[in-house]
Amino acid sequence: MKLKSGVALGLAAVIAFAMFSGPVMTASSAPTHTTIRGIYSRTAYNNNRLYSDSDNSGGYSQGDIVTAHAILHKGGKATGKIVDFCGIVDDRGPGQVQCDSTFVRPKGDTITFSGQAADDPSPGIVHHASITGGTGRYARARGTVKIEFGEHAIHYVFRVITQ
């Protein structure tokens, strides 16, 4: 009889430990790290930009909205489309913009990202944004996006963590 009660006590301890120690990571739930790279031409970006003068001031001012979209390429192949929605939050100097953007992958999955930066697209300027989520394969995604402005192209590097 003592053996049976000892086994029951041991089993109870294992169950209690499992209940209170947090989730157990399995191979299928371990985070996946993915890097996606792509570029698009500055001409394509500038041709697909729309500006909304929210206060009808006739110029760049706080509260104005800029939207843009362009196809992202890598090695001559489309890797998706970037859609930007940016609000001007400070119109002094080069200005500051807050952008909420979506990267739409060829099969329809999306990665959303957001960041605030100086509105300065000069070559050599680098901006960083935070990945805030996504859909499909990128649901609950997190990570960072590096956006680097070149002379003729804008380079994106997505460092995506999915679970």
Side-chain angles (χ1 to χ4, degrees):
M1 226 28 181
K2 248 183 180 195
L3 180 60
K4 285 186 179 177
S5 65
V7 170
L9 185 60
L11 186 56
V14 169
I15 291 170
F17 177 77
M19 287 175 55
F20 296 109
S21 65
V24 175
M25 294 296 279
T26 64
S28 64
S29 66
T32 301
H33 298 258
T34 306
T35 299
I36 304 167
R37 297 174 188 276
I39 64 169
Y40 61 78
S41 76
R42 289 170 78 81
T43 303
Y45 182 78
N46 291 335
N47 288 344
N48 293 310
R49 239 177 115 138
L50 296 174
Y51 176 79
S52 175
D53 186 1
S54 64
D55 60 1
N56 294 319
S57 66
Y60 183 92
S61 60
Q62 194 172 20
D64 291 352
I65 304 292
V66 178
T67 59
H69 70 280
I71 303 295
L72 208 61
H73 292 87
K74 181 177 184 224
K77 182 179 177 186
T79 60
K81 176 172 63 173
I82 298 285
V83 179
D84 292 327
F85 181 83
C86 304
I88 298 167
V89 294
D90 187 349
D91 56 7
R92 296 170 289 186
Q96 290 281 317
V97 292
Q98 170 65 44
C99 295
D100 294 308
S101 304
T102 303
F103 179 31
V104 183
R105 300 288 286 159
K107 293 184 179 178
D109 297 336
T110 65
I111 300 170
T112 56
F113 57 102
S114 181
Q116 185 171 341
D119 190 12
D120 183 359
S122 301
I125 296 293
V126 177
H127 297 290
H128 297 274
S130 297
I131 294 174
T132 57
T135 63
R137 165 180 182 192
Y138 302 104
R140 295 182 305 281
R142 60 193 191 281
T144 60
V145 182
K146 177 182 170 187
I147 305 152
E148 185 172 354
F149 292 86
E151 188 66 37
H152 301 289
I154 302 169
H155 301 260
Y156 282 77
V157 178
F158 290 81
R159 299 207 188 284
V160 186
I161 302 168
T162 55
Q163 186 110 353

